[in-house]
């Protein structure tokens, strides 16, 4: 069965989700009562108006009312809810703040959405061990605020950091503009407490650097809610850099900009941030916020350096020299904090700026080997013309993470479908040049059906067997990440039998 | 290596065939590279040994992409020479445990380092081997060649299987190709040493340095006998703090740290070859290489480093140890005991939030006591299911980590 989500008038493509179990839907009233008995009456939401809030995440083209929503207040309640649902064969969709861009928290018609928004307390700030223990519903930026006065911060800074939850960051392995130097979520985690589908509570990691046994912490990070529900997180905090300065550098071509990025990194400099914008993005941003960006350039680079003042000044000089050697035709160096922030203003409002010049926009998120950037931008330009949809590109240039913004109008019949088709072509291009489908937004439902462009059936089967180790009945967030749902029994079958090997006559042992 | 059935596949295809046959018949295989770390973990009883050291060579390396792809049998020394020629490094500072197990230096492979998730002093700033492991090709226990991860530094497509392969000690897959992140090597480095501090004062000093914005790249504490062996600083305990970066920055931060820490004790410094050898020695556990007693590796929250030391010495008066990772890592030589001192070591750590690994001990002790910290039942069951998801017949390195795993 194909469940068409979204508003059919949008013309979005039909997203095939697991067929809802009519038996589960028929027993909804009894399930809600049972959920209330373990999580409390007010923790369970089942009226259509209130459920509407949860019908989508940041990928709002797809919407679905959940069967019910539970907002537990403790690990014990999460455990009881998961145990109950597992016993009844009810699917679970974990949800953080609902800001994800790939539909990882898209509800299921026959599934219970478990939100962690009420698990919203910071449990312990431990400066001696330079870590914070927190519940998963705390916002990313709130962690940095909590330790700011002592001179620390939490390094990963996804652009939604005001709102996105740390639990969601773990589920998505979120990055940010500073991830080249400071790493993704996975590089800044020490431990989690997690509830498995049967209700078992496990702790992996601690305040120590390393944990015994298999690295479940690393595996869970970025698993998009398919392996368990995170109920507690221990993150590393790091001392704030003493100072930061930025260079705003314009180039007459994308090639020149790309060359400059390669020479900065090849020259041994890892900037705190290294962002590139193409001509459409520069013009959209400048029209929106008047950051003073040069308008006669094809590519604009923002290079931020942080650390001790003497180091920052030294590196600023080196980057300036490299940029001039790459044919920069515009170069400004921030001399004050206000100026540094002004350089960033346009980049940080690039999405909003795009929204002003087009009714709707769609953010893509691929990663490419940086050396292929000029070619990829040229081919995206060709695709943009052939699909007749404008595309602006912003690029985490240091780590090759490309964010093309496709501009469209959802009210024009067929335009959303054309936008999604263009997006698909762009992501296929990223894989073709040696890159990947997603650098930081996750697969979710958005890129699920593109997984076979990057992974073959054997690759995907191995990933799904790992899923089976955690969730043999496939109750946790089914329909996400994997294009084809496989029963664990089928995946577990050994296709090799004694005496039936490819070369049975060769002596081996 | 010496084994009645030694198999040396030349490539991934040959490896897949022999693993498929072993899977079909349920024959167990011990996977080795250069076998330099074969003494790490529980002993494996296998019907055949698979030598992966023929899978060698750097496949792709472009310094400005910060990415290197190589076959896992490539010697780590060759990888480090390759990236070193481009002024880059493996930032996790992989140790060379060859001599620790009685072998030669420089023989260990990249694959073996990743499989054991081994990291050196810079781990506290740059992360572990697992943090730099971006993608791989491998053969699973069904004899299927597959891949995971990617060849770019930023990727969240699918499960991050690199993480569980790092530190799986060859119990999940046989690697055939790995992609790692590389980073620029620092232009300059300087090590400050606060001399003569007692353990609790030393841990306080390391903590102060690590809480400062001066980007400490290593923080260790050595007792007098190790300090005197490794440095010209004399027979005095040393809280060693390393900073790295561009030369003007290193100079400025060294001055700032002297200001910050000067009140805590006498500040000396080591530089150049002396400092380089000092950190390599701590990285490779060289101070404890030539001992017969059991060697333990303890991972603890950094702030309890001194407390852990006091408890360990109280429980085992003859024990010798030093700290790395700002107090978060303790290398310990335990006086021999029937159980390789497992009861004493793990008892001393109880309630401190850490764990202990028996890194070197006679085969008998590793066969009968838990080398790795025992796990709680739910995690143990999950570990067994994870193992089965890659290797359903448990043919790879069976029992290396836990009984049957």
């Amino acid at each position: 069965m194909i469940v068409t989500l979204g508003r059919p008038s949008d013309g979005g493509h039909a997203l095939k989700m697991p067929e809802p179990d009519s038996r589960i839907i028929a027993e909804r009233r009894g399930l809600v009562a049972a959920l209330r008995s373990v999580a409390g009456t007010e923790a369970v939401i089942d009226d259509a108006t209130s459920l509407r809030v949860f019908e989508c995440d940041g990928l709002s083209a797809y919407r679905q009312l959940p069967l019910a929503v539970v907002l537990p207040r403790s690990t014990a309640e999460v455990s009881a809810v998961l145990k109950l649902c597992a016993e009844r064969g009810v699917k679970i969709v974990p949800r953080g703040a609902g800001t994800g861009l790939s539909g990882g928290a898209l509800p299921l018609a026959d599934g219970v959405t478990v939100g962690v928004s009420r698990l919203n307390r910071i449990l312990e700030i431990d400066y001696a061990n330079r870590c914070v223990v927190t519940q998963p519903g705390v916002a990313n930026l709130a962690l940095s605020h909590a330790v700011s006065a002592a001179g620390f911060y939490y390094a990963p800074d996804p652009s939604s950091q005001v709102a996105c939850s740390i639990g969601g960051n773990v589920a998505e392995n979120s990055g940010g503009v500073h991830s080249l130097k400071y790493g993704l979520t996975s590089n800044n985690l020490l431990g989690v407490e997690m509830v498995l589908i049967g209700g078992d509570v496990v702790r992996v990691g601690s305040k120590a650097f390393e944990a015994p046994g298999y690295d479940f912490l690393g595996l869970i990070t970025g698993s998009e809610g398919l392996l368990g529900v995170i109920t507690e997180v221990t993150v590393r905090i790091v001392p704030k850099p003493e100072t930061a300065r930025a260079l705003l550098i314009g180039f007459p071509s994308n090639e020149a900009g790309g060359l400059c990025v390669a020479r900065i990194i090849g020259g041994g400099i890892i900037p705190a941030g290294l962002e590139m914008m193409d001509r459409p993005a520069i013009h959209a941003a400048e029209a929106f916020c008047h950051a003073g960006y040069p308008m006669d350039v094809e590519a604009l680079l923002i290079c931020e350096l942080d650390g001790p003042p003497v180091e920052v000044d030294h590196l600023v000089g080196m980057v300036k020299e490299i940029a001039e050697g790459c044919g920069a035709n515009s170069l400004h160096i921030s001399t004050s904090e206000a100026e540094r922030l002004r350089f960033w203003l346009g980049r940080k409002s690039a999405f909003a700026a795009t929204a002003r010049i087009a009714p709707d926009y769609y953010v893509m998120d691929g990663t490419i080997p940086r050396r292929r950037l000029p070619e990829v931008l040229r081919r995206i330009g060709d695709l943009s013309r052939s699909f007749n949809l404008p595309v602006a590109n912003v690029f985490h240039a240091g780590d090759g993470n490309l964010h093309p913004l496709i501009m469209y109008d959802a009210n024009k019949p067929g335009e959303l479908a054309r936008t999604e088709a263009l997006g698909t072509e762009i992501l296929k291009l990223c894989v073709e040049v040696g890159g990947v489908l997603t650098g930081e937004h996750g697969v979710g439902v958005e890129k699920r059906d593109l997984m076979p462009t990057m992974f073959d059936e054997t690759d995907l089967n191995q990933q799904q067997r790992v899923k089976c180790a955690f969730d043999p009945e496939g109750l946790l967030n089914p329909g996400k990440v994997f294009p084809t749902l496989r029963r664990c029994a089928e995946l577990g079958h050994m296709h090799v039998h004694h005496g039936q090997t490819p070369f049975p006559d060769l002596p081996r042992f | 290596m010496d084994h009645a059935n030694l198999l040396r596949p030349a490539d991934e295809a040959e490896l897949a065939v022999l693993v498929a046959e072993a899977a079909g018949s349920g024959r167990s295989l011990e996977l080795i590279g250069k076998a330099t770390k074969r003494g790490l973990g529980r002993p494996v009883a296998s019907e055949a040994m698979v030598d992966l050291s023929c899978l060698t060579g750097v496949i792709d390396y472009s310094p400005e992409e910060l990415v290197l792809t190589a076959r896992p049998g490539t010697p780590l020394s060759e990888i480090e020479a390759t990236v070193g020629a481009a002024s880059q490094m493996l930032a996790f500072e992989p140790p060379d445990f060859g001599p620790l197990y009685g072998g030669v230096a420089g023989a260990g492979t990249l694959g073996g380092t990743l499989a054991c998730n081994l990291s050196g002093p810079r781990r506290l700033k740059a992360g572990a081997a697992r943090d730099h492991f971006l993608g791989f090709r491998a053969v699973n226990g069904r004899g299927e060649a597959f891949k995971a991860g990617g060849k770019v530094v930023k990727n969240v497509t699918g499960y991050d299987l690199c993480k569980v392969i790092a530190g799986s000690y060859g119990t999940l897959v046989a690697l055939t190709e790995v992609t790692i992140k590389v980073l620029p090597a620092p232009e300059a480095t300087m090590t400050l040493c606060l001399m003569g501090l007692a353990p609790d004062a030393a841990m306080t000093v390391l903590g102060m340095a690590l809480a400062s914005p001066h980007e400490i790249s290593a923080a260790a504490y050595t007792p007098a006998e190790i300090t005197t062996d490794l440095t010209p600083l004399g027979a005095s305990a040393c809280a060693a703090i390393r900073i790295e970066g561009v030369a003007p920055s290193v100079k400025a931060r060294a001055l700032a740290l002297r200001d910050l820490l000067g009140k805590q004790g006498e500040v000396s410094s080591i530089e150049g070859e002396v400092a380089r050898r000092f950190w390599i020695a701590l990285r490779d556990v060289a101070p404890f290489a030539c001992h017969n007693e059991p060697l333990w590796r303890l991972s603890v929250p950094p702030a309890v480093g001194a407390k852990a030391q006091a408890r360990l010495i109280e429980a085992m008066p003859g024990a010798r140890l030093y700290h790395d990772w700002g107090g978060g890592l303790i290398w310990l030589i335990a006086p021999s005991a029937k159980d390789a001192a497992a009861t004493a070591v793990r008892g001393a750590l109880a309630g401190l939030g850490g764990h202990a690994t028996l890194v070197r001990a006679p085969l008998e002790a590793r066969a009968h006591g838990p080398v790795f910290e025992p796990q709680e039942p739910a995690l143990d069951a999950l570990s067994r299911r994870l193992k089965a998801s890659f290797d359903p017949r448990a043919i790879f390195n069976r029992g290396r980590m836990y009984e049957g795993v």
Side-chain angles (χ1 to χ4, degrees):
Chain A
M1 176 174 158
I2 291 173
V3 180
T4 306
L5 300 166
R7 293 152 294 180
S9 61
D10 292 347
H13 86 285
L15 181 70
K16 191 176 178 188
M17 293 298 282
E19 186 169 353
D21 186 335
S22 55
R23 178 187 60 89
I24 299 292
I25 293 173
E27 290 169 6
R28 179 168 180 261
R29 186 174 294 188
L31 174 68
V32 166
L35 288 169
R36 287 196 162 124
S37 73
V38 297
T41 303
E42 84 293 357
V44 182
I45 297 165
D46 69 331
D47 68 285
T49 311
S50 307
L51 286 177
R52 191 64 65 188
V53 175
F54 299 90
E55 69 178 354
C56 67
D57 60 13
L59 185 72
S60 57
Y62 298 108
R63 292 159 195 266
Q64 169 66 55
L65 283 187
L67 188 65
V69 171
V70 188
L71 304 175
R73 288 154 301 189
S74 67
T75 300
E77 285 182 5
V78 173
S79 169
V81 167
L82 264 59
K83 183 166 186 285
L84 175 75
C85 287
E87 283 165 1
R88 290 176 171 236
V90 175
K91 302 176 183 100
I92 296 282
V93 177
R95 181 183 173 97
T99 57
L101 292 170
S102 55
L106 177 70
L108 296 169
D110 60 342
V112 172
T113 291
V114 177
V116 297
S117 57
R118 297 210 288 183
L119 292 167
N120 58 0
R121 285 183 304 122
I122 291 176
L123 300 174
E124 185 191 358
I125 296 174
D126 181 348
Y127 290 119
N129 285 308
R130 296 170 296 283
C131 65
V132 171
V133 183
T134 179
Q135 291 188 318
V138 173
N140 171 296
L141 191 59
L143 295 175
S144 286
H145 282 162
V147 297
S148 174
F152 286 90
Y153 75 118
Y154 173 64
D157 57 343
S159 49
S160 58
Q161 68 178 155
V162 177
C164 63
S165 69
I166 187 66
N169 288 180
V170 174
E172 300 293 325
N173 193 13
S174 306
V177 292
H178 294 102
S179 65
L180 178 66
K181 182 168 177 183
Y182 294 102
L184 305 172
T185 303
S186 70
N187 312 114
N188 289 274
L189 279 187
L190 286 169
V192 297
E193 177 192 76
M194 182 174 76
V195 182
L196 304 176
I197 187 65
D200 279 341
V201 180
V202 295
R203 299 189 74 91
V204 294
S206 67
K207 291 178 180 177
F209 284 100
E210 294 190 344
Y214 292 127
D215 185 0
F216 288 115
L217 180 63
L219 179 60
I220 290 156
T221 309
S223 65
E224 305 199 25
L226 272 71
L227 302 183
V229 177
I230 307 289
T231 48
E232 188 189 293
V233 183
T234 303
V235 298
R236 291 175 51 163
I237 51 172
V238 290
K240 284 191 273 193
E242 285 179 90
T243 189
R245 290 178 75 189
L247 297 94
L248 187 69
I249 313 164
F251 294 93
S253 67
N254 289 321
E255 282 81 358
L259 180 67
C260 185
V261 170
R263 286 200 184 158
I264 289 170
I265 293 184
I269 301 169
I270 301 294
L274 191 58
E275 294 291 307
M276 193 163 144
M277 300 165 76
D278 70 356
R279 188 179 188 88
I282 299 163
H283 283 249
E286 184 59 22
F288 181 70
C289 65
H290 312 293
Y293 286 177
M295 305 301 284
D296 55 347
V297 300
E298 285 299 313
L300 189 64
L301 199 62
I302 305 171
C303 178
E304 179 165 294
L305 301 149
D306 69 5
V310 60
E311 173 175 326
V312 171
D313 292 349
H314 180 83
L315 294 178
V316 163
M318 286 176 70
V319 171
K320 177 172 181 282
E321 200 169 302
I322 291 168
E324 286 166 351
C326 294
N329 55 357
S330 161
L331 194 148
H332 300 275
I333 299 169
S334 71
T335 53
S336 67
E337 189 62 5
E339 194 172 21
R340 182 182 73 86
L341 294 173
R342 185 169 62 75
F343 288 178
W344 278 107
L345 186 63
R347 166 62 186 87
K348 293 208 166 174
S349 54
F351 290 13
T354 309
R356 214 186 65 146
I357 57 174
D360 299 282
Y361 67 94
Y362 185 38
V363 190
M364 310 304 300
D365 165 49
T367 302
I368 56 171
R370 241 183 299 96
R371 60 190 165 203
R372 307 293 292 269
L373 178 68
E375 174 197 346
V376 168
L377 291 182
R378 200 162 50 240
R379 288 175 65 185
I380 288 176
D382 293 344
L383 287 165
S384 165
R385 278 184 290 280
S386 75
F387 280 80
N388 195 25
L389 290 165
V391 178
N393 289 287
V394 297
F395 186 47
H396 299 312
D399 44 30
N401 189 194
L402 183 64
H403 291 308
L405 304 166
I406 307 172
M407 293 170 246
Y408 70 103
D409 182 352
N411 288 324
K412 289 186 183 165
E415 202 151 303
L416 174 59
R418 216 163 74 241
T419 299
E420 291 187 330
L422 171 55
T424 296
E425 292 308 311
I426 291 173
L427 291 180
K428 283 181 177 170
L429 173 60
C430 291
V431 175
E432 182 200 315
V433 300
V436 299
L437 291 171
T438 171
E440 56 184 356
H441 293 172
V443 175
V445 295
E446 187 198 26
K447 280 149 278 191
R448 183 193 70 184
D449 295 337
L450 288 173
M451 286 289 270
T453 63
M454 192 169 145
F455 295 115
D456 68 20
E457 193 182 356
T458 312
D459 303 336
L460 290 172
N461 283 350
Q462 181 57 62
Q463 298 228 1
Q464 294 203 59
R465 287 192 193 102
V466 169
K467 159 82 167 161
C468 292
F470 285 78
D471 177 21
E473 302 301 323
L475 294 175
L476 267 164
N477 221 5
K480 316 290 170 66
V481 182
F482 298 111
T484 311
L485 281 180
R486 289 280 165 76
R487 288 187 312 113
C488 290
E490 173 196 348
L491 286 164
H493 186 249
M494 280 286 285
H495 293 283
V496 181
H497 300 286
H498 186 48
Q500 297 177 2
T501 53
F503 304 98
D505 301 329
L506 284 178
R508 300 289 176 186
F509 296 102
Chain B
M1 277 309 292
D2 192 24
H3 197 290
N5 283 309
L6 180 65
L7 304 163
R8 307 190 76 212
D11 56 27
E12 183 183 274
E14 278 189 28
L15 174 66
V17 168
L18 77 87
V19 172
E21 288 187 350
S25 58
R27 279 176 200 259
S28 57
L29 305 173
E30 181 172 1
L31 305 177
I32 59 159
K34 282 292 185 183
T36 57
K37 296 177 280 290
R38 200 167 169 236
L40 176 50
R42 303 172 77 250
V44 171
S46 65
E47 287 153 279
M49 183 179 270
V50 183
D51 174 356
L52 298 166
S53 67
C54 293
L55 305 176
T56 58
V58 173
I59 296 167
D60 188 25
Y61 172 47
S62 46
E64 67 280 5
E65 301 285 341
L66 304 176
V67 164
L68 179 143
T69 300
R71 292 186 192 88
T74 314
L76 193 58
S77 50
E78 185 183 326
I79 300 284
E80 295 204 295
T82 300
V83 302
S87 300
Q88 294 192 331
M89 63 174 178
L90 307 189
F92 57 96
E93 219 174 351
D96 180 356
F97 281 174
L100 193 62
Y101 292 104
V104 295
T109 64
L110 177 61
T113 300
L114 293 171
C116 300
N117 190 29
L118 295 176
S119 318
R122 205 184 286 102
R123 194 239 182 281
L124 92 171
K125 174 167 185 276
R130 53 88 95 173
D131 293 292
H132 299 81
F133 189 11
L134 301 172
F136 65 86
R137 290 192 58 82
V139 172
N140 66 17
R142 299 162 175 269
E144 299 167 341
F146 75 103
K147 66 175 178 299
K151 293 180 177 177
V152 290
V153 295
K154 196 172 180 187
N155 173 27
V156 295
T157 318
Y159 295 137
D160 191 355
L161 298 187
C162 294
K163 296 292 191 292
V164 284
I165 301 308
S168 68
Y169 297 89
T171 61
L172 300 180
V173 300
L175 290 167
T176 58
E177 181 188 295
V178 296
T179 297
I180 56 170
K181 182 179 178 181
V182 295
L183 283 168
E187 167 191 314
T189 176
M190 158 81 79
T191 297
L192 298 180
C193 303
L194 272 91
M195 307 304 295
L197 299 180
D200 51 349
M203 295 303 139
T204 302
V205 161
L206 298 182
M208 285 171 69
L210 288 164
S212 79
H214 304 309
E215 296 187 29
I216 308 308
S217 81
Y221 175 59
T222 54
E225 69 271 21
I226 293 180
T227 314
T228 197
D229 277 356
L230 299 179
T231 74
L233 298 173
S236 182
C238 164
I241 296 161
R242 185 177 67 184
I243 46 177
E244 299 174 318
V246 292
S249 172
V250 168
K251 202 173 154 192
R253 282 182 284 152
L255 282 174
L257 279 166
R258 282 177 182 272
D259 272 355
L260 177 72
L261 305 175
K263 288 190 207 75
Q264 310 297 318
E266 175 210 341
V267 187
S268 293
S269 65
I270 50 175
E271 284 183 78
E273 194 57 18
V274 171
R276 197 180 73 85
R277 285 170 185 265
F278 173 80
W279 290 108
I280 287 176
L282 297 193
R283 182 194 79 181
D284 296 347
V285 206
F288 298 153
C290 297
H291 280 73
N292 289 318
E293 293 90 353
L295 174 66
W296 287 85
R297 181 180 181 275
L298 282 55
S299 184
V300 296
V304 304
K307 193 171 187 179
Q309 171 166 1
R311 285 204 199 165
L312 289 161
I313 299 297
E314 191 187 349
M316 295 168 286
R320 300 180 55 207
L321 57 84
Y322 68 91
H323 297 255
D324 199 350
W325 300 354
L329 174 68
I330 299 171
W331 285 104
L332 172 91
I333 286 280
S336 291
K338 198 176 172 196
D339 63 348
T343 310
V345 170
R346 293 203 165 105
L349 285 194
L352 292 182
H355 68 95
T357 307
L358 180 56
V359 167
R360 190 189 57 200
L363 197 137
E364 183 83 349
R366 287 182 289 118
H368 296 115
V371 167
F372 299 96
E373 192 81 13
Q375 296 184 297
E376 55 163 302
L379 266 186
D380 180 66
L382 193 58
S383 297
R384 288 170 193 284
R385 296 198 299 271
L386 184 77
K387 161 85 172 170
S389 76
F390 286 94
D391 179 17
R393 293 265 178 105
I395 60 170
F396 289 152
N397 284 4
R398 184 187 295 162
R400 176 72 83 199
M401 294 179 74
Y402 300 101
E403 177 96 47
V405 175

